[in-house]
Amino acid sequence: MRPEFQDIVDDVSRILGGPATLEDRDFNLIAFCSQHAAQIDQIRQQSILERHSTDAVRALFEQFGIATSEQPVRVPAMPESGVLPRLCLPARWNGVTYGYVWLLDENPDHDAAQEQSALALAERAGALLAQQVRVREELDFKLQDVLSPEPEIAEIAAADIDDRGIIARGVPVAAVELRLATQGAAQPVPMNLWSLPRSVLAWAGDEHTTLVVPLHGQDLGPARAVAERARELYAERLPPGAQVDVVAGIGAPRPDLSEARGSWQEARLASQAAQSVSALRPVAVWPELGVYRLLACGPQAALSSAVLDHSVHRLLDCGDDDLVHTAATYLDTGGNVHAVAEALRIHRQTVYHRLQRIEQVTGLTLSRGQDRLVLHLGLTMAPLIGGPGGPNGHGAGR
């Protein structure tokens, strides 16, 4: 957060004599001054504790015309909802509202001159917010250039970002890719990317968010921390409890920003793996993916042809999910029948019966290492490369 925002909130609170906050136009909290429990209501409390307000709260206040007003707007008390009266100072710049300065105003004793002084401060906040939006938009395009397949374009963009003092040349970076694990769901984009560290480059698309994070050497710790914070920002746009649906992939470090494309490609594959394999969630890291790195080996059709042996197809197509899960569990546990029986809560004789049936269906001999490898690899990769009939997340991804 820019320190000017906190100064503005403190000055408004001093001028008007009440606890103030600053939110952006999407009702994400930016700054707030000291609040006394007796002076705040549930909406203010939620805003401070959760760093944002709900869509319902936004709709409640926007009905008073705050999004288009050029002057202070008084919002009356709503006792039935436990809402205290408020004074809203639109934070505008060049005719556009970028946020709001809010003052709980239960017993107003300030005059018009004080309100205008406070409104001038809100306009200053609007100018700063507009500047942040422009910078983010410019860096959005710069990041897309950094990730260009053309080395010359990536080099120019990296030099420009260095000149801006965002990420210096020679500083290692890693890419982070976020998406929803649930196929076909609405894909929200976190609107408050300003709350990420200034040194993090962000590109918010319709179905994903891409970040590039500076590192300390080869340590991916900063990228993991940013991935978790970005997941929280995504979750703010989702129904309660839906954060578990947000997955992230992290690529391996690269020594310079101009080489970030390679990390980005790895991060995309890692996020796709996390999307399909529940055991890899919520954050899949490319250097830790093991066999899932096969996703990078070529077109999906070619990989499917190479990995999904006819024996694997027969098992996936047989229509018996119990056999598929038993085979995957047997292979995951290194052929430990006792462990399979415990994991699936069935008798060991049932396990032996199913294993015999698996051999009949596939034509494989599970006592042979090569046959086990073929089946294990196929069952592990099927959810990621369009295997027929394969349940989402079976095998190692269960």
Side-chain angles (χ1 to χ4, degrees):
M1 180 187 72
R2 296 180 64 155
E4 298 98 317
F5 290 135
Q6 187 62 55
D7 292 340
I8 288 170
V9 168
D10 290 340
D11 286 344
V12 169
S13 181
R14 176 181 52 80
I15 291 171
L16 298 182
T21 61
L22 170 63
E23 296 177 332
D24 69 12
R25 59 190 171 196
D26 295 301
F27 281 58
N28 297 302
L29 183 67
I30 298 175
F32 63 97
C33 66
S34 298
Q35 311 281 318
H36 301 289
Q39 295 178 295
I40 66 175
D41 55 19
Q42 186 175 357
I43 288 177
R44 171 64 62 86
Q45 187 177 39
Q46 180 186 36
S47 173
I48 292 174
L49 291 177
E50 300 185 12
R51 312 297 295 182
H52 74 105
S53 294
T54 65
D55 290 341
V57 169
R58 177 177 177 176
L60 175 68
F61 290 133
E62 285 186 344
Q63 68 177 317
F64 294 97
I66 62 174
T68 56
S69 177
E70 297 180 358
Q71 296 297 320
V73 176
R74 292 194 177 280
V75 177
M78 290 170 263
E80 68 282 0
S81 302
V83 177
L84 294 175
R86 282 164 164 74
L87 178 67
C88 177
L89 305 169
R92 292 171 61 86
W93 180 251
N94 284 342
V96 177
T97 300
Y98 288 94
Y100 308 99
V101 177
W102 294 97
L103 187 84
L104 290 178
D105 201 30
E106 194 166 12
N107 297 301
D109 57 2
H110 40 77
D111 56 30
Q114 289 174 313
E115 284 191 9
Q116 289 304 308
S117 296
L119 182 61
L121 289 168
E123 291 173 350
R124 171 61 178 160
L128 293 173
L129 287 169
Q131 184 182 51
Q132 283 195 165
V133 170
R134 286 195 299 272
V135 169
R136 275 296 184 190
E137 289 174 346
E138 291 173 5
L139 289 177
D140 180 308
F141 290 114
K142 290 296 179 184
L143 177 54
Q144 293 180 56
D145 286 345
V146 163
L147 302 178
S148 168
E150 301 294 332
E152 297 83 1
I153 294 176
E155 177 67 30
I156 292 171
D160 190 3
I161 291 170
D162 182 12
D163 290 341
R164 293 168 181 251
I166 306 297
I167 298 179
R169 303 303 301 271
V171 171
V173 298
V176 177
E177 183 88 356
L178 292 105
R179 65 181 67 233
L180 285 183
T182 305
Q183 295 281 1
Q187 302 282 347
V189 174
M191 301 302 293
N192 51 344
L193 291 175
W194 54 265
S195 65
L196 294 173
R198 179 176 178 269
S199 59
V200 174
L201 302 176
W203 166 24
D206 291 335
E207 298 183 354
H208 63 85
T209 293
T210 300
L211 310 170
V212 171
V213 184
L215 306 175
H216 308 297
Q218 298 297 298
D219 178 18
L220 284 172
R224 294 177 189 269
V226 167
E228 287 296 344
R229 175 58 184 146
R231 289 183 66 243
E232 293 174 0
L233 298 182
Y234 251 93
E236 290 176 359
R237 301 290 166 186
L238 296 171
Q243 182 176 351
V244 295
D245 292 332
V246 184
V247 298
I250 300 177
R254 292 300 189 275
D256 184 78
L257 184 59
S258 64
E259 302 175 50
R261 179 178 172 81
S263 182
W264 173 57
Q265 291 173 319
E266 294 167 353
R268 292 179 67 191
L269 292 171
S271 69
Q272 291 171 18
Q275 188 177 39
S276 298
V277 182
S278 59
L280 299 177
R281 300 174 191 169
V283 179
V285 182
W286 178 257
E288 302 170 5
L289 281 187
V291 69
Y292 295 107
R293 293 196 204 180
L294 286 173
L295 290 169
C297 290
Q300 189 176 91
L303 183 59
S304 176
S305 176
V307 170
L308 297 183
D309 185 83
H310 290 300
S311 58
V312 180
H313 275 286
R314 285 194 290 269
L315 181 59
L316 294 175
D317 288 338
C318 76
D320 191 335
D321 286 347
D322 286 340
L323 289 186
V324 175
H325 288 306
T326 300
T329 306
Y330 176 77
L331 296 166
D332 288 346
T333 58
N336 188 325
V337 172
H338 179 72
V340 175
E342 284 194 344
L344 300 182
R345 298 182 179 180
I346 57 177
H347 195 276
R348 278 182 293 177
Q349 285 303 120
T350 303
V351 177
Y352 286 122
H353 174 74
R354 289 184 184 179
L355 293 177
Q356 291 176 355
R357 179 62 181 150
I358 290 166
E359 289 185 329
Q360 293 171 358
V361 170
T362 62
L364 299 173
T365 301
L366 294 179
S367 61
R368 295 183 64 240
Q370 185 65 30
D371 284 3
R372 290 198 303 271
L373 177 61
V374 168
L375 186 57
H376 201 183
L377 182 59
L379 293 180
T380 300
M381 298 302 294
L384 297 163
I385 55 178
N392 183 31
H394 64 63
R398 220 175 27 260

